[in-house]
Amino acid sequence: MSANSETITLNDPKQDVEKNVNDAASQAPALAKESESPADPHLVQLEPADDPKCLSLWHKWLAVLAISSSSLCATFASSAASFTEAGLARDLHTTHEVAILSISLYVLGLGIGPMFVGPLSELYGRNIIYRTSYVLFFALTWPTAFPPNIATFLAFRFITGLCGSAFLSVAGGSVSDLFDNAHVATPMAVYTISPFIGPVVGPLISGFIVQHTDWRWCYRVLLIWQFAQTILLFTCVPETYVPVILKHKARKLRKSSGDEKYYAPLERQEHSLFRMVLFSIYTPFQLLIFDRMALALDVWSALLLGILYLAFQAFPIIFEEVHGFNVQCTGLSFLGIGLGMVAALCTQPYWNGLFRRKAVKHNGHPPPEVRLIIGQVGGILAPIGLFIMAFTTYKQVHWIGPIIGSIPFGAGVYFIYTGVFTYLVTAYRPIAASAMAANSAMRSSFAAVFPLFAGQMYHRLGTVGATALLAGLTTLMAPLPFVFYKIGARLRAKSRFAVP
């Protein structure tokens, strides 16, 4: 998500709304300044033919859909492992607890990867990151589809998570590169929801596969999907990062004219990849240590993702052990969460209008706290959904009860992430990339750990007690968007990272 952070009304799942925020805010003005200098005729200029925003509408949407489906595939791979654990433990001679690491290690890779991939995209462009990461994602998934032993399988699950993380850190920037501020909301919404729909689709598909054939086919189907996405990325997604587009243009002009004086601004800037990566790693942790507001919002969003991934262990207990579902029907039970997310996405036009009215009220510069209004709705819906789930998991209650409860939970997840992501990007604009990286790292750590204790918690506390405990935790966090909406400006004024 990215492009002028004040105009983005959606979230960026990810971590690149971040980067483009910095790009649009710092590099674009730099380009403009240099391009205003008529004294240097060899400085390459961005012309309409080079501008990604001037592509045809169908081409831009084709690129957005290719990027979004690639992001969906990357997160699908995390949860598709949820129904393979029994077969994995049996065939590779390990325990069920070790098999759960197939989810945890992959998600950990998704969280760590953006810290390294983000700086690379600023130097080399978006396309080379997409293509390289997806080729590696495809190639390194083969050992998980045909694993010789559990150690090899788990190692490559972590590595493929790293490879897939590019679409949680760079892709949002491509969307904002393609559309101007007035039209970015809808395509950004499509991209934003894709990483959260992926984990819901994973068990749905893997449940049918495991029910009817060998568990390895979950990864073989993933390979087929990855191959198709790789072709789409090579054929349908153009380079969208303007500094790199100008760099390529300068190279072509030097070659065609024989004049080595042509140059792009990016070629005259001094870059240290090591320093960029180091900054990308330590700044997010500085933010978590020294900024309590960022820490609280990150813990809140991390708790939600942890609960979502915990559901991959909890739903089989609720629906298979309590209600007697088979594997494929248990996979279908995740449809409630997905339906809630899609329903929440459909409300985006209302929120876009609300934010436009707030912008007008504040002369075009609304405070970042305006973004938390949508999070307030999510803060109420998520615990309500979990409480409904908790008290409908009794065996004598119809199985549709927990699924109905998961619908408001899914909607709440979407609203909360939309509010938190856009708030972080706008409130911490100077270090937006680091703010999103900190959020991603904490979310992934919770998502990696929660599935490991889910089984023990649900068997010890029961389905009602365990789910009610989770609902209680989300209830404790629900006041955050209301509190920060009131006092966020004061906290930002005291923060060493946030804009005043």
Side-chain angles (χ1 to χ4, degrees):
M1 319 166 241
S2 121
N4 198 328
S5 62
E6 290 188 0
T7 318
I8 290 197
T9 55
L10 301 180
N11 51 1
D12 274 88
K14 273 74 223 40
Q15 288 124 320
D16 204 61
V17 173
E18 33 175 84
K19 294 210 180 307
N20 221 2
V21 170
N22 291 341
D23 301 340
S26 59
Q27 290 182 343
L31 290 176
K33 265 190 188 174
E34 293 194 70
S35 62
E36 286 170 4
S37 163
D40 192 351
H42 293 100
L43 176 63
V44 174
Q45 309 289 334
L46 183 68
E47 299 174 354
D50 312 312
D51 191 348
K53 288 184 171 65
C54 294
L55 292 171
S56 62
L57 186 61
W58 73 266
H59 194 174
K60 290 192 283 189
W61 268 105
L62 182 63
V64 168
L65 292 176
I67 291 169
S68 299
S69 57
S70 298
S71 176
L72 192 152
C73 179
T75 53
F76 162 88
S78 67
S79 60
S82 58
F83 287 131
T84 68
E85 293 156 1
L88 183 69
R90 181 188 66 245
D91 294 349
L92 298 186
H93 312 294
T94 188
T95 63
H96 183 259
E97 287 72 21
V98 172
I100 296 174
L101 289 173
S102 61
I103 296 177
S104 299
L105 290 174
Y106 184 91
V107 174
L108 200 59
L110 286 180
I112 294 174
M115 297 183 185
F116 301 94
V117 175
L120 290 174
S121 72
E122 293 185 354
L123 285 182
Y124 304 110
R126 316 229 191 256
N127 254 11
I128 190 170
I129 298 298
Y130 294 152
R131 294 171 180 178
T132 302
S133 66
Y134 236 79
V135 167
L136 291 174
F137 188 31
F138 170 71
L140 299 176
T141 297
W142 284 87
T144 65
F146 303 93
N149 53 61
I150 188 64
T152 301
F153 177 85
L154 294 178
F156 278 94
R157 281 290 287 174
F158 175 73
I159 295 170
T160 51
L162 287 174
C163 295
S165 67
F167 288 85
L168 306 184
S169 60
V170 179
S174 288
V175 178
S176 59
D177 290 343
L178 289 166
F179 293 87
D180 58 36
N181 292 338
H183 301 95
V184 72
T186 300
M188 189 63 75
V190 173
Y191 162 70
T192 295
I193 199 171
S194 59
F196 300 108
I197 290 293
V200 175
V201 174
L204 193 154
I205 294 178
S206 65
F208 275 89
I209 293 173
V210 171
Q211 181 74 25
H212 297 286
T213 186
D214 185 67
W215 62 269
R216 293 174 179 83
W217 271 102
C218 291
Y219 298 99
R220 295 168 189 171
V221 169
L222 177 61
L223 282 169
I224 296 169
W225 190 357
Q226 290 169 332
F227 181 73
Q229 291 298 145
T230 303
I231 293 175
L232 286 175
L233 291 172
F234 273 88
T235 58
C236 301
V237 182
E239 179 57 64
T240 63
Y241 189 46
V242 170
V244 171
I245 291 174
L246 294 177
K247 181 181 176 181
H248 293 166
K249 184 179 180 180
R251 187 179 301 153
K252 290 179 181 177
L253 284 173
R254 290 194 295 265
K255 184 176 181 180
S256 61
S257 66
D259 188 348
E260 294 297 319
K261 294 181 181 179
Y262 284 107
Y263 71 96
L266 189 63
E267 295 175 309
R268 296 294 176 92
Q269 297 172 8
E270 292 186 6
H271 297 283
S272 168
L273 182 59
F274 174 77
R275 291 176 63 185
M276 291 175 70
V277 172
L278 189 63
F279 179 85
S280 180
I281 292 174
Y282 74 73
T283 305
F285 292 101
Q286 277 190 316
L287 184 64
L288 292 175
I289 293 170
F290 296 110
D291 197 297
R292 286 172 292 179
M293 183 164 60
L295 175 63
L297 291 174
D298 289 347
V299 169
W300 188 30
S301 57
L303 175 65
L304 285 170
L305 195 68
I307 292 172
L308 181 61
Y309 275 82
L310 179 144
F312 303 138
Q313 307 300 318
F315 273 36
I317 296 173
I318 294 171
F319 292 102
E320 290 182 23
E321 296 183 13
V322 176
H323 291 290
F325 279 25
N326 58 26
V327 175
Q328 65 184 11
C329 290
T330 302
L332 287 172
S333 65
F334 286 89
L335 281 174
I337 298 176
L339 181 60
M341 291 181 177
V342 173
L345 174 64
C346 293
T347 68
Q348 195 60 47
Y350 166 78
W351 298 108
N352 294 345
L354 175 64
F355 293 139
R356 279 194 295 268
R357 293 191 296 273
K358 291 289 185 180
V360 171
K361 180 180 177 181
H362 292 87
N363 298 318
H365 299 284
E369 285 71 33
V370 167
R371 308 294 178 178
L372 292 175
I373 296 175
I374 190 172
Q376 294 172 356
V377 178
I380 295 171
L381 285 178
I384 287 176
L386 287 174
F387 275 120
I388 293 173
M389 289 176 63
F391 295 108
T392 56
T393 57
Y394 293 104
K395 187 176 180 64
Q396 57 268 34
V397 178
H398 195 276
W399 53 263
I400 198 64
I403 296 177
I404 291 174
S406 69
I407 295 174
F409 173 72
V413 167
Y414 175 83
F415 287 142
I416 290 169
Y417 282 137
T418 299
V420 170
F421 289 171
T422 51
Y423 181 77
L424 291 175
V425 167
T426 52
Y428 299 90
R429 191 180 312 133
I431 56 162
S434 297
M436 293 301 294
N439 184 275
S440 174
M442 183 161 285
R443 280 187 291 115
S444 296
S445 63
F446 274 52
V449 171
F450 272 45
L452 297 176
F453 62 76
Q456 294 88 334
M457 183 176 78
Y458 267 76
H459 286 121
R460 179 69 62 87
L461 301 179
T463 58
V464 177
T467 311
L469 174 62
L470 299 175
L473 292 175
T474 57
T475 302
L476 291 176
M477 306 297 283
L480 284 181
F482 297 92
V483 173
F484 290 147
Y485 183 78
K486 291 292 185 183
I487 67 171
R490 295 206 306 270
L491 295 176
R492 282 188 291 110
K494 298 177 183 178
S495 172
R496 55 190 282 192
F497 300 103
V499 295

